[in-house]
Amino acid sequence: MATFLKRKATVVALAALSLTLAGGGIAAAAHPAAKAEAGQASARQPGHQPPVTAAESRAAKAALNATLAAPAPGLVAWAVVSSNGTLLQHSANVVSAKKFSPSLPGQFAGQYQVTLDYDVRLRGLHATIGTNDAANVPPGGEASVAPRYLTPNAVFIQTRNSSGGYADRPFHLLVAN
């Protein structure tokens, strides 16, 4: 009799759990905030980088040829970039920063390129929203980072507002070696 009651309690508990999970999923799908979250994925499209111009390619190659030397393993190269693409502070290996113009085809607000003097394709990349002003709290948002397409010594950064839309934001970049 005790075994029968244990089995029955287990079945009832599993049924209650299943109904709770199913009901929660249905409630989340009907909730307006859930629809807004689902809409964020479309707000993040397209997820591509601007095309590399011949001038950018030449400048990146010149920076790569004038290398100091990559930081030793375990050290980082870093940069602080303003929302208009100005390089505010940086380590020795950072050569330049630029903001792409959203008025040109294939370019959107919040797209940046930071060029270094060594190949960064197989390095750890990290970017976060931030400034170097001690009295300023940076605006809300997020930053994504990837190696720059067809440019081995550059990093592409895309910043967004808290809703997921493209937006110009200041950021910190770290390249772990």
Side-chain angles (χ1 to χ4, degrees):
M1 182 75 172
T3 305
F4 174 74
L5 291 177
K6 285 182 185 177
R7 287 183 186 163
K8 188 174 182 180
T10 302
V11 169
V12 169
L14 287 174
L17 179 62
S18 298
L19 289 173
T20 302
L21 291 175
I26 293 168
H31 194 273
K35 290 180 184 176
E37 288 289 327
Q40 269 191 357
S42 62
R44 294 174 189 254
Q45 298 297 326
H48 66 280
Q49 297 182 18
V52 178
T53 65
E56 289 172 351
S57 182
R58 283 191 301 275
K61 285 179 185 175
L64 191 57
N65 292 336
T67 186
L68 294 172
L75 298 179
V76 297
W78 58 272
V80 179
V81 180
S82 71
S83 61
N84 66 5
T86 302
L87 194 56
L88 300 173
Q89 293 177 303
H90 59 90
S91 63
N93 293 96
V94 176
V95 176
S96 64
K98 76 173 253 179
K99 179 183 175 302
F100 291 99
S101 172
S103 62
L104 296 176
Q107 298 181 15
F108 300 93
Q111 292 184 328
Y112 304 88
Q113 174 178 307
V114 176
T115 306
L116 293 92
D117 64 0
Y118 65 98
D119 190 332
V120 296
R121 287 178 294 187
L122 298 176
R123 312 297 177 161
L125 305 173
H126 177 76
T128 187
I129 302 298
T131 67
N132 67 344
D133 182 0
N136 185 14
V137 175
E142 50 194 67
S144 302
V145 62
R148 179 74 168 111
Y149 178 69
L150 295 176
T151 311
N153 60 320
V155 177
F156 175 76
I157 298 93
Q158 172 68 66
T159 60
R160 296 181 170 91
N161 59 27
S162 295
S163 299
Y166 297 127
D168 297 335
R169 297 286 191 256
F171 62 90
H172 294 190
L173 171 69
L174 293 175
V175 179
N177 296 290

